[in-house]
């Protein structure tokens, strides 16, 4: 119980936002799990409709992601693809983005990486262009589920992926969780919001809960001082130790 009393903020990356809201008492665990199941199935179905994917990019200072995406869309149009999608879907840390959209657009960016000042452009092992308008078919199923779930005001500050700001009330949560499916994840902006402090103020302890420590690696790039108070908690490891 004292963890909630002392915790100043929570945030979750993409689907992790549901976990953050459960932790903050806004969503019940079982209801959140059901919403995540519906969301995943609907997003998978949307992925199967169009050959699409996600490209992890680390750029030089000169990189212009919007211009690169524009040229990739023009390339798709030249191939006869109508209304192509290629856009930044995840803001990770300075000079690191995930670009998502039609596969032909992402392949074009990989082939022309040097032209756009990309130091690295690597396809991610995912089935679709998550957090873009290609996920629009998933919006309605998730919206329907969230209407049927009781959502409370969070007991502590939870930051939204959609705008990097605190959730205000239950209707706000319902609206933005749906919007998140087709909106870029503003994780870098969220990190700046969470750790904004007056000079000289100490940073809180930060715990990343779950498999992997990618969010810790991102925090290190966004805010080195905050990262010094970072710890990773792997819930699965704790369970395995308990079984032993």
């Amino acid at each position: 119980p004292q963890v909630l009393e002392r915790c100043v903020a929570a945030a979750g990356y993409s689907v992790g936002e549901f976990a953050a809201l459960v932790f903050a008492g806004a969503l019940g665990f079982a209801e959140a799990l059901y919403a995540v199941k519906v969301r995943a199935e609907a997003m998978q179905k949307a992925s199967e409709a169009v050959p699409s994917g996600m490209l992890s990019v680390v750029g030089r200072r000169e990189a212009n992601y919007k211009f690169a995406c524009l040229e990739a869309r023009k390339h798709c149009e030249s191939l006869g693809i109508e209304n192509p999608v290629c856009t930044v879907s995840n803001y990770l840390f300075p000079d690191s983005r995930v670009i998502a959209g039609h596969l032909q657009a992402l392949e074009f960016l990989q082939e022309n990486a040097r032209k756009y000042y990309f130091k690295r452009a690597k396809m991610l092992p995912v089935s679709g262009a998550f957090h873009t308008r290609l996920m629009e078919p998933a919006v309605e199923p998730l919206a329907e589920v969230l209407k049927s779930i009781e959502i409370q005001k969070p007991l502590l500050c939870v930051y939204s992926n959609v705008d990097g700001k605190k959730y205000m009330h239950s209707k706000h949560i319902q609206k933005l969780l749906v919007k998140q499916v087709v909106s870029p994840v503003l994780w870098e902006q969220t990190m700046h919001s969470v750790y904004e402090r007056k000079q000289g103020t100490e940073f809180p302890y930060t715990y990343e809960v779950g498999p992997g420590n990618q969010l810790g690696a991102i925090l290190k790039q966004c805010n080195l001082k905050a990262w010094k108070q970072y710890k990773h908690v792997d819930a699965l490891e704790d369970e395995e130790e308990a079984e032993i």
Side-chain angles (χ1 to χ4, degrees):
Q2 67 269 29
V3 171
L4 274 175
E5 286 164 24
R6 293 173 60 194
C7 185
V8 290
Y13 186 94
S14 189
V15 71
E17 196 154 66
F18 285 84
L21 288 162
V22 169
F23 171 72
L27 292 174
F29 177 69
E31 289 88 347
L33 214 52
Y34 178 61
V36 165
K37 178 180 181 285
V38 169
R39 177 186 183 272
E41 287 168 354
M43 287 170 82
Q44 181 58 35
K45 203 172 173 185
S47 300
E48 288 161 8
V50 179
S52 58
M54 302 180 89
L55 185 72
S56 174
V57 174
V58 176
R60 299 185 192 283
R61 287 280 162 88
E62 309 94 313
N64 184 331
Y65 303 98
K66 279 187 178 174
F67 177 67
C69 289
L70 175 67
E71 295 224 317
R73 289 197 297 272
K74 283 182 179 172
H75 168 72
C76 285
E77 284 168 358
S78 75
L79 299 175
I81 297 168
E82 284 182 31
N83 209 6
V85 172
C86 183
T87 185
V88 173
S89 62
N90 305 74
Y91 292 81
L92 302 179
F93 54 85
D95 306 320
S96 179
R97 307 276 185 273
V98 175
I99 293 172
H102 281 81
L103 274 183
Q104 295 91 332
L106 304 181
E107 285 160 3
F108 171 83
L109 290 178
Q110 269 192 307
E111 286 162 19
N112 295 279
R114 287 182 71 181
K115 177 187 174 182
Y116 300 115
Y117 301 102
F118 295 167
K119 285 192 279 188
R120 196 187 78 201
K122 184 183 171 191
M123 288 295 289
L124 294 176
V126 295
S127 58
F130 305 134
H131 303 290
T132 72
R133 62 177 168 81
L134 287 176
M135 290 294 115
E136 270 172 9
V139 164
E140 198 51 43
L142 179 60
E144 284 304 308
V145 171
L146 290 173
K147 277 179 199 166
S148 69
I149 289 173
E150 196 178 343
I151 303 174
Q152 308 284 347
K153 190 181 176 189
L155 299 170
L156 52 100
C157 295
V158 180
Y159 287 79
S160 164
N161 287 181
V162 172
D163 57 11
K165 295 175 183 172
K166 297 171 193 173
Y167 279 118
M168 305 308 290
H169 47 76
S170 57
K171 281 275 180 234
H172 195 210
I173 293 169
Q174 187 182 325
K175 183 182 167 189
L176 291 191
L177 279 180
V178 173
K179 200 175 175 186
Q180 190 228 57
V181 172
V182 290
S183 302
V185 174
L186 305 186
W187 192 254
E188 182 187 338
Q189 295 86 330
T190 300
M191 292 297 91
H192 294 317
S193 296
V194 170
Y195 296 102
E196 193 176 10
R197 273 169 179 56
K198 284 180 184 163
Q199 204 140 9
T201 310
E202 278 195 23
F203 285 96
Y205 287 104
T206 297
Y207 298 94
E208 178 177 0
V209 184
N213 53 6
Q214 293 93 330
L215 299 182
I218 292 172
L219 177 60
K220 189 177 183 181
Q221 298 289 338
C222 289
N223 191 322
L224 187 59
K225 284 183 179 175
W227 175 79
K228 286 176 179 172
Q229 302 276 50
Y230 162 89
K231 285 188 175 72
H232 174 240
V233 180
D234 192 331
L236 294 176
E237 271 180 21
D238 291 350
E239 278 181 22
E240 281 163 17
E241 281 170 18
E243 282 169 17
I244 292 161

